[in-house]
Amino acid sequence: MRFLESVDSTNEEIKRIVSRSPGEYAVTSDCQSAGRGRGENAWYSPGVTNLYFSLSLDMGEMIEKDIYPVTAAIGVALHRSLSRFTTGELTLKWPNDLYIRGRKVAGILCEVIRTQAERTFIISGIGLNVNTNTFPPELAERATSLFLEEKKLFNREEILASLLNGIETVIDEFLEKGMETLLPEYRKRCTLWGRRVMIDAAEGIMQDISPRGGLLLKEDSGNVREFFAGTVELIERLNG
Ligand code: BTN
């Protein structure tokens, strides 16, 4: 476990560490100068107020497509742990963003690296808005923090410990039973089932999550498509 004051991105730092010396690590930093979100997005990372951390998980010889359920499982772990710190309605948005009362409080960026010895590591980077009380204008309407929801300051170490323990428990559960118990829990925590959504250029009803961690979208033609990446937008909200 490494605690840093500042770094470009904890995901980049842990990738550098794993490529030098393959293994399981956790890296956390007080601030990030180049925090990344999924796609082209940056992750707002002001100093000494939130949590930014990354884990490297040794998945042995797992092949790349098998990582999608792991990222869903980590979403479940975050949901379980964070429920203890907020009274607000906490939901998962596929694939693994966490929302409180409709505003994003945490995001997960999962990446995969393979070492020369053909071992697969999942790099799972987690950003959680803990004590931030303001956001830049472009995020203000969409983002929240535990502080803004609960009107009190939180101890970041306590939350970090709870999240790390929660993730460890879920990964053990996943390695033992696959998604058998985690999939029903994921479905229950995720809110958009049965709603009309857009995912990238496709439109349809959000039907289910597959055991492979993919989103099943039923198009108007009746055709069901499985997505492993993309951004889900609720159509009602798009049309105002
Ligand atoms: C997203 O919702 O788009 C994912 C956000 C992930 C942000 C975290 S903060 C710690 C780690 N380091 C990064 O650069 N990104 C992830």
Side-chain angles (χ1 to χ4, degrees):
M1 174 108 214
R2 303 193 182 179
F3 293 90
L4 306 173
E5 276 178 15
S6 175
V7 74
D8 51 354
S9 148
T10 55
N11 267 38
E12 295 310 313
E13 177 67 10
I14 206 163
K15 281 196 260 176
R16 290 189 283 263
I17 296 172
V18 172
S19 44
R20 279 198 303 269
S21 169
E24 295 197 303
Y25 304 93
V27 173
T28 176
S29 181
D30 265 342
C31 80
Q32 298 185 116
S33 55
R36 290 191 295 114
R38 285 194 304 277
E40 301 293 301
N41 297 332
W43 186 257
Y44 178 58
S45 309
V48 207
T49 180
N50 295 324
L51 282 172
Y52 318 109
F53 64 100
S54 300
L55 309 171
S56 57
L57 304 167
D58 186 347
M59 292 290 148
E61 290 174 5
M62 182 181 268
I63 54 174
E64 193 152 342
K65 75 174 179 43
D66 290 331
I67 68 146
Y68 296 108
V70 180
T71 74
I74 294 174
V76 170
L78 253 59
H79 192 287
R80 280 186 196 169
S81 300
L82 286 182
S83 307
R84 279 182 239 133
F85 298 98
T86 177
T87 50
E89 190 207 14
L90 185 67
T91 53
L92 269 169
K93 182 175 171 228
W94 184 88
N96 46 24
D97 292 341
L98 279 126
Y99 280 67
I100 302 179
R101 298 186 189 99
R103 288 172 189 242
K104 184 159 166 175
V105 69
I108 309 175
L109 176 65
C110 280
E111 301 178 279
V112 177
I113 54 172
R114 273 176 87 79
T115 63
Q116 279 170 351
E118 297 296 299
R119 264 158 76 197
T120 300
F121 284 86
I122 293 183
I123 306 299
S124 184
I126 295 158
L128 169 67
N129 301 326
V130 182
N131 291 322
T132 285
N133 60 8
T134 50
F135 287 97
E138 67 277 14
L139 296 178
E141 291 295 308
R142 295 181 282 130
T144 192
S145 67
L146 292 176
F147 171 79
L148 289 173
E149 295 299 320
E150 301 299 317
K151 312 280 182 279
K152 63 170 191 180
L153 290 169
F154 286 83
N155 178 313
R156 290 182 300 150
E157 286 77 13
E158 192 190 329
I159 298 178
L160 179 64
S162 165
L163 294 178
L164 291 175
N165 286 329
I167 292 170
E168 187 171 27
T169 304
V170 156
I171 295 296
D172 287 347
E173 207 170 314
F174 176 80
L175 293 175
E176 197 187 323
K177 300 192 220 142
M179 288 302 279
E180 189 185 316
T181 51
L182 294 168
L183 201 55
E185 190 171 341
Y186 185 92
R187 285 194 186 107
K188 209 162 75 191
R189 310 287 177 219
C190 200
T191 45
L192 297 179
W193 308 129
R195 308 290 294 275
R196 193 163 189 84
V197 297
M198 279 200 83
I199 170 163
D200 300 334
E203 185 180 324
I205 303 296
M206 190 161 146
Q207 212 177 28
D208 205 351
I209 182 171
S210 71
R212 300 190 299 179
L215 175 88
L216 299 176
L217 182 85
K218 188 168 184 186
E219 294 178 311
D220 292 343
S221 62
N223 186 32
V224 176
R225 284 174 65 184
E226 185 174 16
F227 290 85
F228 289 99
T231 302
V232 178
E233 293 287 348
L234 193 59
I235 300 272
E236 286 100 330
R237 206 175 54 207
L238 278 181
N239 293 339

